[in-house]
Amino acid sequence: AAALVLSLTRQIDPSDAGAALKAAAAGVGGHRWVVLTSVNAVERFMAELRDARALGDVQVAAIGPATADALRRAGVEPDLVPARHSAQGLVDEFPAPAGAGAHLVLFPSADIAADTVTVGLGRLGWDVRRVEAYRTVPLGAPDPELVARVTAADALTFTAPSSVQAFLALRTREGTTVPPPDVVACIGPTTAAAARAAGVGGVHEARDATPASVVAELEDLLGAGADDAP
């Protein structure tokens, strides 16, 4: 396959220049858990924490293997990585609070992250302190030549709801929208739901919310012997 990389978004500093994240890292010892749902969140939180030993007895949850590996690179072994690598999967496996004391969960996240973790853990009885770790913003208009090549693609992959919205905002040289191909592979249920809600057809959800699983999904749909592919 020939893969076209179409960068549509980028991550920038929080709206408060990181003041809330810095304060949260300094007070992390007052929490029972830290929940991290992206590699970006790990990197920005750990940059403020500076020393993994500051976590002490605080437990750490990672949404999936990429986030867990980012934690390990920072010297932290996650206490929880759900079998289903999604925000809902994490909520489903998260323990209910027990014992006396404050039941605080620190949740450093993107500004546009869904409220699945905040609401779900709240229903379990946790007091979730969500802190903006970074913002996701659209990039400028891509090279028209690249957009023209994208219009001829056999398949499209989405790895976040923000990329769905950014793709739908693309325009050709003539000012028309860029139609998605018949095969659209999404990394997880949240992204797939965003694509369907936006009216995108041919949406397929990877079996697992990892890049490798997206590749496997495309192999099943378009690879040799995929006679039933759309």
Side-chain angles (χ1 to χ4, degrees):
L4 300 177
V5 178
L6 181 64
S7 298
L8 297 173
T9 62
R10 66 188 178 101
Q11 283 69 49
I12 63 173
D13 288 341
S15 54
D16 66 352
L21 183 63
K22 186 184 293 293
V28 69
H31 299 77
R32 295 283 187 91
W33 283 85
V34 176
V35 171
L36 296 157
T37 56
S38 72
V39 172
N40 278 311
V42 171
E43 292 174 347
R44 288 177 178 264
F45 174 68
M46 294 305 299
E48 296 297 345
L49 196 65
R50 299 188 182 281
D51 189 339
R53 290 175 296 183
L55 287 166
D57 294 331
V58 180
Q59 293 183 285
V60 182
I63 196 170
T67 306
D69 286 344
L71 277 167
R72 293 183 183 109
R73 289 193 295 271
V76 177
E77 180 63 32
D79 298 282
L80 171 63
V81 182
R84 190 158 54 96
H85 306 143
S86 66
Q88 188 58 53
L90 189 150
V91 169
D92 290 344
E93 291 192 31
F94 210 84
H103 298 148
L104 299 181
V105 173
L106 177 60
F107 179 34
S109 69
D111 60 323
I112 60 173
D115 62 1
T116 306
V117 169
T118 305
V119 172
L121 298 189
R123 287 174 177 162
L124 286 175
W126 292 101
D127 181 0
V128 182
R129 304 289 174 85
R130 179 170 171 172
V131 177
E132 185 179 288
Y134 60 95
R135 288 179 290 160
T136 299
V137 298
L139 282 172
D143 181 357
E145 291 292 338
L146 179 57
V147 174
R149 293 180 66 194
V150 168
T151 61
D154 297 301
L156 177 66
T157 64
F158 286 131
T159 57
S162 57
S163 63
V164 175
Q165 298 304 319
F167 179 85
L168 295 177
L170 285 177
R171 294 297 181 268
T172 65
R173 274 200 183 94
E174 295 73 30
T176 60
T177 59
V178 179
D182 291 337
V183 175
V184 178
C186 295
I187 198 167
T190 302
T191 303
R196 293 186 181 106
V200 177
V203 173
H204 298 266
E205 184 183 324
R207 296 176 183 83
D208 198 10
T210 62
S213 189
V214 173
V215 173
E217 184 72 17
L218 289 173
E219 287 176 339
D220 288 346
L221 293 167
L222 301 175
D227 296 332
D228 296 328

